């Protein structure tokens, strides 16, 4: 195995009494070499493609890939090529072993200490998760923003966000390891919910969504209600209204334009649904901002 060029130490990264450090960087061929560290590190690929070199292994890395590296792991990221157009942007979240132990105590069923110990025994590839639905991306965005701002309560918020990331990571690992089992089938329905959320502004019907995932409409309806606590129709309406609220806050688009953008053919229907959910009309909502 290739030797690390140097060791990164948490005491040089952690600030303000924190035991966690977060950054978002564009990797290249020149800034850093193979290195190790005295903390645990999470690498989440936000943009581009490249390789994560762990010792003498070159592991492909693309958007949505998460690498969990134990203490002492020798590694470095590189873009796919030295061409300046070849991009590889990565979120790095590093934290102390003591912080991991505290998180592990709050969720012992995840067996985080045992997983990390296994990764330390040359089983680093077992720490890789493919985040196909990009459920982790907003969590990494949020933890980066929180670390940059360091507002009151930052330590607790950063720990909470890190806990969410670790929970999602273990679920992704379990789903990959148990592919084809009944438990995995239940987890996979999360993909159906994510699909409906992503397509909520389009003219998607419950039957079309059910067919996409190879389910009868009735079974899809039961599973959707169980997973979201809402019917398909109510869920879609709420997603549309949430998007409309954002447009009302952040843009100067007229109501009829927003109505069309969130999937309604006429302003009257849009206004009726919006008022039922928000308690005020779109115009009143914007007027209060």
């Amino acid at each position: 195995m290739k030797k690390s060029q140097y060791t990164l130490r948490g005491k040089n990264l952690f600030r303000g009494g924190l035991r966690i450090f977060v950054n978002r960087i564009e990797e290249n061929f020149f800034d850093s070499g193979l290195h190790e560290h005295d903390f645990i590190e999470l690498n989440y690929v936000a943009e581009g493609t490249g390789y994560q070199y762990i010792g003498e292994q070159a592991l492909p890395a693309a958007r949505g890939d998460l690498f969990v590296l134990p203490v002492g792991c020798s590694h470095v990221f590189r873009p796919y090529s030295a061409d300046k157009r070849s991009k590889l942007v990565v979120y790095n979240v590093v934290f102390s072993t003591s912080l991991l132990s505290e998180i592990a105590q709050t969720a012992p069923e995840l067996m985080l200490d045992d997983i990390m110990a296994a990764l330390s025994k040359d089983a680093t590839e077992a720490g890789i998760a493919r985040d196909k639905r990009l459920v982790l991306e907003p969590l990494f965005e949020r933890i980066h923003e929180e670390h940059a701002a360091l507002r009151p309560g930052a330590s607790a918020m950063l720990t909470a966000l890190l806990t969410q990331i670790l929970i999602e990571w273990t679920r992704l690992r379990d789903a990959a390891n148990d592919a084809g089992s009944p438990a995995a089938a239940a987890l996979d329905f999360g993909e159906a919910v994510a699909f409906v959320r992503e397509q909520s502004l389009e003219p998607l019907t419950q039957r079309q969504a059910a067919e996409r995932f190879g389910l009868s409409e009735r079974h899809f309806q039961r599973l959707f209600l169980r997973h979201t606590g809402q019917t398909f129709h109510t869920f879609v309406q709420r997603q549309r209204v949430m998007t409309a609220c954002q447009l009302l806050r952040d843009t100067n688009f007229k109501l009829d334009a927003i109505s069309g953008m969130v999937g309604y053919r006429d302003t009257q229907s849009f206004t009726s649904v919006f008022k039922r959910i928000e308690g005020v009309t779109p115009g009143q909502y914007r007027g209060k901002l």
Side-chain angles (χ1 to χ4, degrees):
M1 181 178 287
K2 294 180 181 178
K3 291 185 178 180
S4 300
Q5 294 182 11
Y6 57 93
T7 299
L8 291 174
R9 303 195 180 281
K11 66 180 182 180
N12 297 324
L13 296 175
F14 303 147
R15 56 196 174 105
L18 298 176
R19 291 173 291 170
I20 185 171
F21 170 80
V22 185
N23 69 5
R24 184 181 191 273
I25 62 173
E26 183 172 345
E27 303 285 358
N28 60 61
F29 278 83
F30 312 106
D31 284 350
S32 63
L34 204 64
H35 61 277
E36 58 186 39
H37 36 75
D38 66 354
F39 44 74
I40 300 163
E41 182 170 359
L42 311 183
N43 308 136
Y44 185 79
V45 181
E47 297 179 36
T49 58
Y51 293 94
Q52 168 85 288
Y53 291 87
I54 299 179
E56 296 182 347
Q57 288 182 294
L59 303 172
R63 185 184 179 200
D65 286 349
L66 171 64
F67 296 82
V68 179
L69 307 176
V71 171
C73 180
S74 180
H75 75 107
V76 66
F77 265 113
R78 291 285 186 256
Y80 181 74
S81 78
D83 190 319
K84 291 183 179 180
R85 292 172 295 181
S86 181
K87 242 185 172 186
L88 181 63
V89 179
V90 179
Y91 284 104
N92 299 303
V93 177
V94 308
F95 54 98
S96 67
T97 54
S98 62
L99 182 55
L100 175 72
S101 296
E102 290 178 14
I103 293 173
Q105 289 176 13
T106 66
E109 70 278 11
L110 299 180
M111 298 186 292
L112 289 171
D113 286 330
D114 292 342
I115 293 174
M116 207 60 64
L119 296 185
S120 298
K121 296 178 180 178
D122 295 326
T124 310
E125 287 189 67
I128 302 172
R130 311 294 183 190
D131 183 20
K132 296 178 182 178
R133 294 190 287 116
L134 302 179
V135 295
L136 288 168
E137 189 169 70
L139 292 174
F140 276 93
E141 289 177 352
R142 181 74 189 283
I143 200 170
H144 180 264
E145 293 169 4
E146 191 67 35
H147 184 269
L150 287 185
R151 293 168 291 188
S155 179
M157 182 63 79
L158 288 167
T159 301
L161 289 166
L162 176 59
T163 301
Q164 290 183 67
I165 289 171
L166 292 172
I167 290 171
E168 292 291 353
W169 168 59
T170 61
R171 289 176 177 177
L172 287 170
R173 290 179 76 253
D174 291 344
N177 293 335
D178 300 332
S181 70
L187 284 173
D188 285 346
F189 194 77
E191 293 188 19
V193 176
F195 172 76
V196 174
R197 180 180 289 109
E198 292 164 2
Q199 299 297 316
S200 61
L201 306 187
E202 305 298 327
L204 177 72
T205 67
Q206 181 171 264
R207 174 169 293 184
Q208 289 171 330
E211 290 176 351
R212 178 181 176 88
F213 290 92
L215 301 170
S216 70
E217 186 175 0
R218 186 175 181 182
H219 187 45
F220 182 91
Q221 183 179 28
R222 286 198 298 267
L223 288 174
F224 199 90
L225 183 61
R226 183 192 307 167
H227 278 73
T228 68
Q230 304 170 63
T231 65
F232 175 89
H233 185 63
T234 299
F235 182 87
V236 168
Q237 287 185 328
R238 286 187 174 276
Q239 295 302 312
R240 290 179 171 183
V241 168
M242 285 171 59
T243 302
C245 287
Q246 182 178 354
L247 291 170
L248 288 166
R249 291 193 303 267
D250 301 339
T251 74
N252 293 319
F253 294 139
K254 294 183 178 179
L255 296 186
D256 56 348
I258 292 177
S259 172
M261 293 169 70
V262 299
Y264 290 95
R265 293 182 178 179
D266 63 88
T267 307
Q268 185 175 355
S269 297
F270 165 62
T271 299
S272 176
V273 172
F274 191 99
K275 185 174 182 179
R276 177 167 54 79
I277 292 175
E278 291 294 324
V280 294
T281 67
Q284 291 169 333
Y285 181 91
R286 175 173 271 172
K288 292 181 177 181
L289 297 177

